[in-house]
Amino acid sequence: TKCRKSDAVFWRKDGTPFHVAYVAKPIFHLGELAGAVVTFRDITWQREADKKLKEAYRKVEHANRDLQAASEVKNQFVAKMSHEIRTPLNSIVGMTGLLLNTRLDEEQTDFAETIRLSSESLLEIVNDILDFSKIEAKKMDLETQPFDLRHCVEGAVELVAPAAARKKLDLVYLIVEPLHKWWIGDATRIRQILVNLLTNAVKFTDSGEVNLTVTSHPLDTGRHTICFCVSDTGIGIPQEMIGRLFQSFSQVDVSVSRRFGGTGLGLAINKQLCELMGGEMSVESAGVPGKGAVFRFSVPLEPDYSLRHLIEHAETTSMVAGKRTLVADMNATSREMLVQQLKSLG
């Protein structure tokens, strides 16, 4: 007594089956069911299409499983080979450094310096590939250890300082007080991000300065967001290219790769490391030479209030507290940094 929709299998005269969808609508006469109007539609092609679609889905799922297995093998191979390559490279870099400290004539010094620079560049590429493969394989382990934030920042600056000095750039960092001294997190990875950002800033800056500023913002959870800002007076980044910066194997343009080298992995790795630590990274630039670029990244960290750290800080402060100091420096940021450091020590 109601409209009915269904499907069935019918048979042709030659005995072959075919699928049919039908709609049966009842007909009433004087309140009684008198018959029905039934509409039939051949849906053989639809059933065949559904069958092919399901088969295609099965093939895609199987291919995805094979692809994931192959990707896992590839990542393990890259990680293994990168580690095996990095070990002898470290020896080459170290021994070349020792060689440069011996008595060499001008030509020998030039050869040894070329070996050192080339091996360091190769080591940087291998390190990038190793980190990238670990992140891709989701095997990047982060440490959760107490660390001195100032030492972490100073360690990154010291590594980049020689390159900045060779280009006669002012390299300055400022930790804005009040900022807790000890934190719990992965100091190695934070230093890695800082070194990469500072190295890039020095690389793309021919004159002027590179500045690093560190600030802290408390959260309701008791943790703090530690914000790092690296700015420079370099060539800048065109607005239309900013979106490509954090993509793997991507650089602003081909000329950058030819002139400065690199894999195009550094910033992509930095961003992923930052996100693994629960933070985020961004960049700003007007794309004007001399105005440079500003890279910012932040990570949430928990303060470490261990008694031994508080005692250590108090002992350090007591040695200089109350002293009068004259700060003289041509760079305004450098003066401010020194003043802030001295104030934090009393």
Side-chain angles (χ1 to χ4, degrees), residues 64-83:
N64 281 337
R65 286 195 295 270
D66 290 344
L67 186 62
Q68 289 173 359
S71 179
E72 178 67 20
V73 172
K74 179 265 297 180
N75 287 331
Q76 291 179 1
F77 172 77
V78 170
K80 176 68 175 177
M81 292 306 298
S82 298
H83 179 73

Side-chain angles (χ1 to χ4, degrees), residues 162-291:
R166 284 194 293 270
K167 298 181 75 172
K168 298 182 179 179
L169 301 175
D170 287 323
L171 176 61
V172 181
Y173 77 90
L174 173 63
I175 297 180
V176 179
E177 302 293 344
L179 188 59
H180 192 67
K181 183 176 175 64
W182 286 85
W183 300 86
I184 298 175
D186 195 329
T188 301
R189 295 303 174 186
I190 293 175
R191 187 185 297 109
Q192 177 181 345
I193 297 173
L194 286 175
V195 168
N196 184 270
L197 294 181
L198 290 169
T199 300
N200 282 347
V202 170
K203 183 189 296 184
F204 297 115
T205 303
D206 292 326
S207 63
E209 61 184 36
V210 173
N211 294 323
L212 166 61
T213 305
V214 186
T215 57
S216 171
H217 305 283
L219 301 173
D220 295 337
T221 58
R223 307 178 87 190
H224 289 64
T225 298
I226 309 301
C227 302
F228 303 87
C229 176
V230 176
S231 61
D232 61 67
T233 55
I235 60 177
I237 305 165
Q239 286 292 317
E240 64 273 15
M241 298 296 182
I242 286 180
R244 295 173 49 188
L245 278 181
F246 298 113
Q247 296 177 8
S248 301
F249 303 103
S250 176
Q251 291 181 320
V252 171
D253 56 42
V254 177
S255 63
V256 169
S257 179
R258 284 200 301 265
R259 180 182 173 190
F260 298 103
T263 60
L265 279 175
L267 289 174
I269 292 171
N270 286 345
K271 192 172 192 300
Q272 291 180 74
L273 284 175
C274 194
E275 290 172 351
L276 283 174
M277 290 187 284
E280 55 186 20
M281 179 174 288
S282 63
V283 59
E284 297 174 12
S285 178
V288 179
K291 298 294 184 180

